[in-house]
Amino acid sequence: MPKGDVPQMTPAFHTRGLTKVYGEGAAAVHALRGVNLEIPEGEIVVLLGPSGSGKSTLLNILGGLDSATGGTAWFRDMELTAMSDTELTRFRRDHVGFVFQFYNLMPSLTAFENVELVTEIAQNPLSAQEALELVDLHERVDHFPAQLSGGEQQRVAIARAVAKQPTVLFCDEPTGALDSTTGRSVLKVLKEVNDKLGTTVLIITHAAATAAMAHRVINFADGNIRDVVVNETRLDPEEIHW
Amino acid sequence: MSPLDRKLLRDLWRMKGQAVAIGLVIAVGTMLLIMMDGLVNMLDETRQAYYQRYRLADVFAPVARAPERLLDDLAHLPGVAAAEGRVVGDALIDVEGADLPVRARAVSLPATGAPRLNDIHLSQGRLLNSEQPDEVLVLESFARAHGLVPGDTISATMNGSRRTFMIVGLAQSPEFLYTTAPGELLPDDARFAVLWLNRAAMAAAYDMKGAFNEALLSIGRGADEKAVLKAVDRLLEAYGGLGAYSLADQFSNRFVSTEIEELGNTSRSVPPLFLGVAAFLLFIVITRMVQAEREQIGLLKAFGYSGAEVSLHYFKFVLVIAIGGAILGSLAGIVAGRAFAVFYQHFFKFPFLVFRLDPGTFVIGFLVSIASASAGGLLVLRRVFSLTPAVAMRPPAPPDYSRTVQFGRVMRRLLDQPSRMVLRRIMRQPVRMIGAVVGIAAGMALSVATSALMVAFTQMLDVTFTVIDRSDAAVAFVAPMSDRTVHELRRMEGVIAAEPFRIVPVVLRNGLNSYRGSINGFVEEPVLNRALDKDARPIFMRKDGIILSEPLADILEVSAGEVITVEVREGRRPVLQIPVVEIAQSLLGSPTYMEIGALNRALREPGRISGAFLRVDAAFRKEVYRKLKDMPAVAGISEKEVTRESLVRQVNTGAGATRYVMAAIAAIITFGIIYNSARIAFAERARDLASLRVIGFSKGEAAYILLGELALVTLVALPIGAGLGYYLSFALSAAYSTDLYQVPAVFAPQSYGSAMVAVLSAAVVSGLLVKRELDRMELVSALKTRE
C-alpha cells in the first residue's frame, strides 16, 4: 500500500465536467457546475467551502450515494457515473467507509456489534477488536450508543468505517457535533488510519483549521473548485486549534 | 390563517398517504355502522309504512263458517277499530312445465271498492271486474317465478272442483311478503301462490254464501290486544273459531320481522368490533406520529407557544383525519345502505322503499369515529404537554438499548447483527410490539371468524340436506290420512322407502308465555328425515312426552320434567297437557318433536299421518311425481333439491348475505393494520436503514431488518389471532343464527388455514409495498433527517 507522502500516478478519483442539478426550470439549483478533479490515492484531502457550495454533493456522488446529472466520475478505472444501483452498493461495500456528523450508529447494537455489522459483510476486514483498538476504544465496547459520549460514538463510527479496510474514507463534518478536544482526538484517529492503512481520506468540514493536517485542500465555491492547495508541511491534529 | 394551521395543512399534505390510510379505516368502520343502521331503519320504516298504507290487520281470526252479521258484533268489541270478513281457501294450481301441482291460497276481495283491511297493491294489469267470476289476481312474485302475465290463464282445483281463471293483474300484499306452503320450512316464490278472486266467486267455490271464514280486525291505539283476542275467540267459538292470533304471530310478518331483527342484531354486534379495531390502530399510528414530531413540538414551545396551543394543533391533525374519515364513511354508508336497501326491497318484496336519513345515525357514526380517533390522540397529547423545548436543541440521543439483553456466546454465533437488531428492537419496546402483535392478531381473528362463518353456512346446508334430510321428496296430504297410505306409497313402482310424519299446528303455552308453531310427529327412530342435536347426533322420538328445541324452551321458560299446555289448532282442537321430556339443541329451526303414535293417541286420532318422506329411484322420479300429483288427497310434494336451492337462496339473500360484506371489510381492516404497521416501522427506521445502505448493505439486506420485524410480529400474532378467532366465531355464529336456521359455531381447520393465508398475503403485499419505498429511498436525504 502506498504511503501518504508519496503521490500516486493513478488517482483514486477523477471527474470530468461533473454537474448536478436539483429541480427543474426556474427552480433548478445547480449544485455542481462542471467539476474537474483528481484525488490521488493515499492522501488526506480536505474539502472546504461555505454551505451550498457543492462539496457535500460531490462527496455523495464520489461515495456512490447519489447520481450525477452530467459529466463522468471515476474511481480508479471504474466509471461511477455509469454504474447500476447494485454495482454502487457493491462499490460502497468493498471500497468505501463513511463517517457522518451525527454518527449514524445502530442504536440497537453495542459498539462492538456496530463494528461487526460491517466485518460480517466485508471481504477482507480487520477484526472488530482491532478496529476498535485503532480508534483507541478498549473498555466500553459492550455499551450501547446511548451509553457513549459523542466523541466515543464518533470513534465507534470511524472504527465501523475502517473495519472493512476501505480504500477511501468519506467524512462529512466528522467533528461538527463535537467540542474541540474531542474533535482533535477524532482527527487523530483519521490521521492514524491514513498512516497505518494507507486509506485515502476525504474530509468535508467548515473548520478551516482542519485543512492544516491535509495533504491537499480543495476550496469549493458556487458549485465549482476555486483552487486546490497542496500543503508543503502538515500539522499534527494535536497542534490544530479551532 | 395562522401559521400553525398552515403547518397543519402542509403536514397533512406531506403525510397524505398515511392520513388517507387511517382515514379509510375510520371510513370503513363508520360506513359499516351507518350502512347497517340506516338499512335496518329503512327496512323497518318501509315495513311500517307498507302495513299502514295497505291497512294490514292487527288480528286474524280464522273460523269454520260465520254469518256476515257477526262482523258488526266483532266491530263493536271494545278496542276493535274496524272489522272485515273474507273468504279464504286452499287451492292447487297446475302450472305448465312443472312436475308438481303448486299449493295456493285463494283470498276474496269485496265486490266494490278496496277492502277495509288487508288491501292489495296492484303492480301490473287491472283490478277484478266484479261481474266476471273467472277473473283472478295473482301474487306478483309467484307470477314472475313462472313467467305468468295478465292475459294468461291458469287452472286451479278448489274444494275438489277444477276451474280455469283468467289473470287480469298481478298484485303485492303486506300480508304475503313471505309465503310458504303449510308444513314447509322455507319460503319459495315458485312453490306457493296467492290468488285474489271476487267475493262471489269465492263464496261459490267454498260454499260461503252470506258467510265468511276469516275475520280481520284492526285495533285502536292503546287497546289491550290480549283482551281483544280473548273476546274474538269467545264470539267465534260457536261458529268453529280456530283461534284468533295477532299480527306478531302471522307467518309472513313474523318472518320479515325476524329477518329485520337479525339485521339489527348484526348491525349492533359487528360494527363496534370493526370500529374497536380501527380505534386501536389509530392509537398506535398517532402515538408514533407525535413521537416522530417531538423535535418540532419542542421547537414550537421554544418559540413561546403554550402546551395547550401545541396540543390543540396536533389534536386538530387527528380531528381532520377523523372527520374526513367520518364524512367519507357516512357518504359511503348512505350509498351502500341504499344499495343494500334496494337489494332487500326485492328480498322482502316491498313495493316501495322509505328512504329516511336518521340524523341520529350520523351523530352516532360521527361521535364514535371521532371518539375512537381522539382516544388515541388524547393519550398521546399528554406527551406533547410534558415535552420540554430543550428537546429541539439537542442532537437526537440514540434510543437506549442498554436494558435489552446482551446475547451470550451461543446466541452470538447463531445470530448475525441484523437479526440482533430485529430482536433487540422488539425487546426494547415490548408494549409497542405487543400493540402491533395484538393489532395483527385482531385482523387474524376477524379473518378466522368470518371465514369460519362461511364454513358454518356451508356446513349448515350440508348437514341439513345430507345428514338430517336423507329423503328425496316429501309428500303432504290435504288432510290427515290413514297410515295405510304409507303402505300404498311403498308399493308404488320406484318408491324405495316411505316414512310417515304427522304435523299438527299448535299453540304451546306455559304460564304467560306462548308460541305458535307445530308439533312434528316422527317415527321413533327416523331414518329419512332425522332430528339432530347441535353435535349432529340424532334425537330419538319419545313416546312419553314432547321434545322442545332449546330456543323454544327459552321462549316458554320451561325445562324438562315440566308440563306445558298444547292447544291444537286443527280437527277437534283439543287442549292437552303434555310433559316436556327433553330439551334438544336443534340445528335447524325451532322444532318440537314427539313420537307419531304417541302424538296421535294424545289427539285421539290413531293412525293418522300428514304426509310421508320418500326415497325414490332416480329413474322413476318423474313417473312417481306425476302419479302423486294426480292423487286428489295430495296437497303438495317438495323435492329436496328444490328445498335446498331455496335455503341457499335464503341464506345468500337474507340477513346472511351481509356475511360477505363482513368478510370483505375484515380483509380490508386486516390489510390496513398490517400495512400500517409496516409503514410505521419503516418511517421510524428510515435513518438506520439509510445508514446501512450507505455502509454497503444491499437493498435486500436492509429490507431484512425491516421486514424481519414485520415477519416476526406476524408469526407471533398468528396463533394469538387464531385463538381469538375461535371465540369470535362463536359470537358471529350467534349473531347470524335466526329463528329459521342456526349457524353452528364450527371449528374448521380450513378457516384457520385461509385466514392465515389472508394474513400472510397481506403481510407479503405490505412488505413488498414498503420494500419498494425502501428501494426508492434517497440515501442522502434520509441521512440528513435527524430522525
Side-chain angles (χ1 to χ4, degrees), chain A residues 177-195:
Chain A
L178 303 172
D179 63 77
S180 63
T181 317
T182 320
R184 261 196 298 281
S185 71
V186 166
L187 292 180
K188 209 176 113 195
V189 171
L190 291 177
K191 181 169 186 298
E192 265 176 44
V193 169
N194 175 255
D195 286 345

Side-chain angles (χ1 to χ4, degrees), chain B residues 279 297 310 339 372 548 580 709:
Chain B
I297 295 167
V310 181
S372 57
L548 292 184
V580 174
E709 182 184 314

Side-chain angles (χ1 to χ4, degrees), chain A residues 85 93 104 107 113 116, chain B residues 401 417 420 424 699 701 783:
Chain A
D85 202 55
R93 194 172 189 145
N104 290 51
E113 289 168 340
E116 277 190 321
Chain B
Y401 279 83
Q417 303 304 337
R420 288 187 213 179
R424 284 231 178 86
K699 286 172 180 172
E701 287 162 336
L783 279 181

Side-chain angles (χ1 to χ4, degrees), chain B residues 349-523:
Chain B
K349 306 188 195 84
F350 292 141
F352 57 88
L353 202 54
V354 179
F355 280 118
R356 194 180 64 102
L357 290 178
D358 182 4
T361 306
F362 289 102
V363 173
I364 290 170
F366 258 75
L367 286 183
V368 167
S369 50
I370 290 167
S372 57
S374 310
L378 284 175
L379 279 172
V380 179
L381 289 186
R382 274 208 330 236
R383 272 184 235 185
V384 175
F385 258 102
S386 61
L387 264 176
T388 58
V391 172
M393 309 306 169
R394 284 198 296 266
D400 189 353
Y401 279 83
S402 61
R403 269 183 289 173
T404 62
V405 282
Q406 290 281 1
F407 293 104
R409 202 177 287 270
V410 182
M411 288 302 276
R412 281 189 190 218
R413 213 170 311 132
L414 286 176
L415 294 173
D416 57 1
Q417 303 304 337
S419 304
R420 288 187 213 179
M421 288 173 71
V422 172
L423 284 180
R424 284 231 178 86
R425 205 175 112 89
I426 285 174
M427 287 185 284
R428 177 179 180 263
Q429 298 168 314
V431 175
R432 195 177 288 193
M433 289 305 143
I434 288 168
V437 166
V438 172
I440 295 176
M444 170 78 181
L446 283 179
S447 301
V448 166
T450 45
S451 141
L453 189 66
M454 302 286 177
V455 176
F457 269 92
T458 315
Q459 189 168 317
M460 178 192 66
L461 292 174
D462 280 351
V463 166
T464 306
F465 295 105
T466 56
V467 185
I468 295 183
D469 185 356
R470 298 191 289 189
S471 69
D472 295 312
V475 54
F477 303 129
V478 176
M481 305 272 288
S482 157
D483 56 6
R484 280 195 307 272
T485 321
V486 182
H487 301 300
E488 281 170 37
L489 288 171
R490 283 188 189 130
R491 273 201 301 274
M492 281 175 71
E493 196 181 15
V495 173
I496 300 163
E499 198 170 276
F501 64 83
R502 176 93 203 251
I503 291 174
V504 182
V506 293
V507 175
L508 305 174
R509 286 189 204 280
N510 179 43
L512 292 172
N513 304 311
S514 68
Y515 182 84
R516 203 182 160 82
S518 55
I519 298 181
N520 300 306
F522 290 162
V523 295

